[in-house]
């Protein structure tokens, strides 16, 4: 637990798997924090990390394939209306739902917009292309992207690209610039 870690942190040079202001304050010799997830937003708000006094590393590169698989799993679930079907199974109405107006679609020929073609976005794009989807994406830094992409735009093209996509995957770090990106204008631009 964090309380136990705080008690033991006095001589620590590194902390693995936890990152809080309270814990880092209890570790005056600390130089490195390793978190086991990709999103580092909460840890970046800890003053010793934000100032650069403590080095922070995450698992983005190691987690990218798994997160890409998860994004594709969610895309498949939505394409096949699995959330609706699963709810119907609980009440015993799944047979009626299955034969009613349940929308199911196939992914080949559809287009996925991947906003953020870093490690996670690239792994997602590869998997979408392997399923026969067209892949368009955005990067903040350049128009270079994975070889499976049909088009790589810059971040200011996201509204234009939203109108071309059947599915979206947002693979961006949560920052002041990305918070609220999926706003009314984004969904108005979408198909």
């Amino acid at each position: 637990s964090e309380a136990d870690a705080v008690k033991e942190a006095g001589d620590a040079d590194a902390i693995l798997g936890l990152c809080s202001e309270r814990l880092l304050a209890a570790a005056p010799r600390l130089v490195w924090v390793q978190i086991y997830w990709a999103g580092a937003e909460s840890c970046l708000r800890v003053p010793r990390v934000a100032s650069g006094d403590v080095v922070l590393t995450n698992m983005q590169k190691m987690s990218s394939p798994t997160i890409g698989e998860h994004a594709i799993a969610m895309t498949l679930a939505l394409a096949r209306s699995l959330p609706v079907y699963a709810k119907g199974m609980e009440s015993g109405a799944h047979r009626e739902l299955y034969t009613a107006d349940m929308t199911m679609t196939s992914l080949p020929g559809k287009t996925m917009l991947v906003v953020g073609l870093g490690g996670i976005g690239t792994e997602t794009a590869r998997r979408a292309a392997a399923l026969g989807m067209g892949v368009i994406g955005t990067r903040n830094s350049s128009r270079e992207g994975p070889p499976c992409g049909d088009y790589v735009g810059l971040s200011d093209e996201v509204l234009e690209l939203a109108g071309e996509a059947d599915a979206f995957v947002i693979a961006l770090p949560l920052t002041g610039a990305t918070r609220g990106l999926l706003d009314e204008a984004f969904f108005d631009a979408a198909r």
Side-chain angles (χ1 to χ4, degrees):
S1 75
E2 183 180 340
D4 292 333
V6 168
K7 290 177 190 174
E8 301 294 327
D11 293 330
D13 296 315
I15 294 175
L16 307 177
L18 296 170
C19 183
S20 72
E21 189 168 353
R22 179 177 168 222
L23 178 58
L24 272 63
R29 295 179 39 192
L30 187 68
V31 294
W32 174 46
V33 172
Q34 168 68 53
I35 56 176
Y36 297 135
W37 51 93
E41 301 83 25
S42 62
C43 197
L44 290 170
R45 288 191 287 266
V46 174
R48 288 185 66 198
V49 174
S51 70
D53 181 46
V54 172
V55 173
L56 172 67
T57 54
N58 67 3
M59 299 292 283
Q60 183 259 340
K61 293 289 184 199
M62 292 182 70
S63 300
S64 294
T66 304
I67 296 170
E69 289 172 5
H70 189 77
I72 294 302
M74 295 296 102
T75 303
L76 284 163
L78 292 172
R80 304 304 294 172
S81 295
L82 293 183
V84 174
Y85 192 64
K87 283 183 182 179
M89 289 180 75
E90 292 172 14
S91 66
H94 60 285
R95 293 178 205 269
E96 293 82 14
L97 285 170
Y98 189 73
T99 58
D101 292 330
M102 187 180 215
T103 303
M104 291 191 186
T105 189
S106 185
L107 295 182
K110 302 291 188 217
T111 299
M112 176 179 279
L113 168 59
V114 180
V115 182
L117 286 169
I120 292 169
T122 295
E123 292 296 331
T124 303
R126 285 184 182 137
R127 285 157 176 76
L131 290 172
M133 295 184 80
V135 178
I136 55 178
T138 63
R139 291 187 64 123
N140 194 34
S141 58
S142 73
R143 292 186 182 275
E144 293 181 23
C148 58
D150 298 314
Y151 178 79
V152 177
L154 298 175
S155 56
D156 63 355
E157 296 177 69
V158 72
L159 292 181
E160 178 184 331
L161 295 174
E164 299 178 25
D166 300 293
F168 308 103
V169 172
I170 311 302
L172 297 171
L174 183 59
T175 67
T178 62
R179 187 179 309 278
L181 178 69
L182 300 183
D183 59 7
E184 188 175 346
F186 180 86
F187 287 104
D188 284 347
R191 284 187 186 170

